[in-house]
Amino acid sequence: MTLDQFTRGDEQIARRYEYEDGSVLAVDFGTASTDAAADVADGTVIVVDGDDQYEFELPDGAADAHTFIRNGVLTVELEGNQ
């Protein structure tokens, strides 16, 4: 699933920010997602929130990605030009 497909179906708010040295994806899961955890495996971001699991593909060419969740907002930092 792509980020656009993921946010459209579940009504999450997502933004992509482009910077000179990389980009950042931010997805708001809401304040109820305080115990959520995220990881990246084989170009896919996996978010586990209680009994729910969400997955979406990173953009093509995303080689180095870092994820973290704070206050219900998933942040994916991508290095380089995506």
Side-chain angles (χ1 to χ4, degrees), residues 4-77:
D4 289 338
Q5 292 169 330
F6 169 73
T7 57
R8 189 177 318 122
D10 293 330
E11 299 181 9
Q12 272 86 9
I13 298 171
R15 297 277 190 247
R16 182 175 178 153
Y17 302 95
E18 299 291 333
Y19 299 100
E20 195 171 296
D21 60 347
S23 58
V24 174
L25 306 174
V27 181
D28 188 350
F29 282 91
T31 56
S33 297
T34 57
D35 293 332
D39 200 2
V40 178
D42 296 326
T44 302
V45 176
I46 302 167
V47 179
V48 178
D49 183 14
D51 293 333
D52 297 323
Q53 179 172 319
Y54 306 94
E55 298 180 8
F56 62 89
E57 301 292 321
L58 289 173
D60 290 337
D64 195 11
H66 305 280
T67 62
F68 61 91
I69 295 181
R70 182 174 295 142
N71 296 328
V73 177
L74 166 67
T75 303
V76 181
E77 297 176 342

